[in-house]
Amino acid sequence: MSRLQIFNDSDAATALLDTEDAGVIAAELGAIGVRFERWPTLPVASADDVLSAYAAEIAALTAEGGYRSIDAMSVTPDHPDRAAIRTKFLAEHTHAEDEIRFFVEGEGLFTLHEGTRVFNMLCTTGDLISVPAGMRHWFDMGERPHFTVIRLFLNPDGWIATFTGDDIAARFPRHEPVAA
């Protein structure tokens, strides 16, 4: 189940808010400019079918945001590059464009750093999150990742990060998978 925890950026031990209520999550994230929605999940036979299964939803997002690059990414516990992929996303960074992810299956922890607050957002199957351009954040898929996401980009080159050099990500909870 989706879960949002909010912390003061100087205290990773004490959550100021801890909720699984989708309405509260959407409101709290919306207040900092992050889009969060719960979408119905569709049966998908294989990773190759993901984009066609969600073609209507992708078309609506593309019409709204002008995205030029759309792909599906899957990482599983047996993925040979899972450790390198995880490490790539773990440091605090920003992007010049919104980061949009729809979780077709599985889960991952987006951590957003806005002002003096840190928002740990556990995204699970059916969650759409859009992190605005310029927002400091990091992503943890855990040591044994399991997820398939649809990613949308304005830049045809896809995921391009600017790392902040701040070690804050190391001071906050990592992803502890809840899904089986």
Side-chain angles (χ1 to χ4, degrees):
M1 174 158 296
S2 310
R3 179 181 183 192
L4 174 65
Q5 295 178 301
I6 302 176
F7 300 90
N8 185 295
D9 66 2
S10 63
D11 182 3
T14 308
L16 304 171
L17 174 73
D18 189 342
T19 185
E20 295 177 345
D21 183 298
V24 172
I25 292 170
E28 291 290 336
L29 293 179
I32 62 167
V34 174
R35 178 179 184 170
F36 174 80
E37 298 173 2
R38 296 279 304 147
W39 285 6
T41 56
L42 302 173
V44 178
S46 70
D48 295 335
D49 297 330
V50 168
L51 297 179
S52 60
Y54 286 94
E57 291 82 358
I58 292 168
L61 284 173
T62 300
E64 179 184 319
Y67 303 107
R68 299 186 323 198
S69 179
I70 296 116
D71 68 15
M73 175 185 187
S74 291
V75 183
T76 58
D78 61 349
H79 193 292
D81 298 324
R82 70 183 179 279
I85 294 168
R86 181 184 190 206
T87 300
K88 177 180 174 180
F89 302 130
L90 278 179
E92 185 182 68
H93 59 275
T94 63
H95 302 285
E97 64 179 84
D98 296 349
E99 181 168 353
I100 300 154
R101 302 290 181 267
F102 171 66
F103 282 77
V104 175
E105 67 175 349
E107 62 188 46
L109 182 66
F110 270 95
T111 304
L112 317 167
H113 184 195
E114 180 64 21
T116 61
R117 299 280 190 241
V118 171
F119 298 74
N120 269 7
M121 180 62 226
L122 177 64
C123 293
T124 60
T125 302
D127 287 350
L128 172 81
I129 188 167
S130 178
V131 178
M135 179 171 277
R136 295 172 294 164
H137 68 282
W138 58 94
F139 177 74
D140 188 7
M141 58 188 188
E143 290 181 12
R144 297 193 41 79
H146 172 78
F147 66 89
T148 298
V149 293
I150 296 173
R151 309 181 308 169
L152 296 96
F153 304 97
L154 292 170
N155 185 333
D157 293 331
W159 192 88
I160 299 172
T162 301
F163 292 92
T164 67
D166 192 326
D167 69 348
I168 189 168
R171 298 191 310 264
F172 278 83
R174 296 279 190 221
H175 177 46
E176 296 295 332
V178 295

